[in-house]
Amino acid sequence: MHTGHVGAEYVEYVLRYKKGLTPGAPPLHLGDPALDGISLPEPDLSLYDQRIAPAMTRDPGDPPPDPPAPGDPE
């Protein structure tokens, strides 16, 4: 990670588990009651899981053994 890039699984971890650790900002007041009354729901990010559902691997385990080279006895 010398380049500063992170994987999608790390970003998901941060969004899901560390999101509640920071205090929420106070509501924004614009001075217009019509605009101050607007409230948007939290976006549903599970839609992306339904479109692309790769198997998520946290621990891939030991690598498979190398196949024998051609001509080597097994």
Side-chain angles (χ1 to χ4, degrees):
M1 300 264 176
H2 292 284
T3 61
H5 295 96
V6 296
E9 292 179 22
Y10 177 74
V11 172
E12 177 186 11
Y13 168 78
V14 170
L15 289 175
R16 288 188 192 271
Y17 299 107
K18 292 190 175 183
K19 181 178 180 183
L21 298 177
T22 57
L28 178 64
H29 296 288
L30 301 174
D32 183 356
L35 295 176
D36 289 341
I38 295 174
S39 175
L40 298 175
E42 188 84 20
D44 183 13
L45 300 179
S46 68
L47 297 173
Y48 294 104
D49 293 337
Q50 295 170 6
R51 294 193 68 169
I52 303 171
M56 297 176 67
T57 304
R58 299 278 185 220
D59 181 12
D62 295 329
D66 292 332
D72 285 348
E74 291 184 31

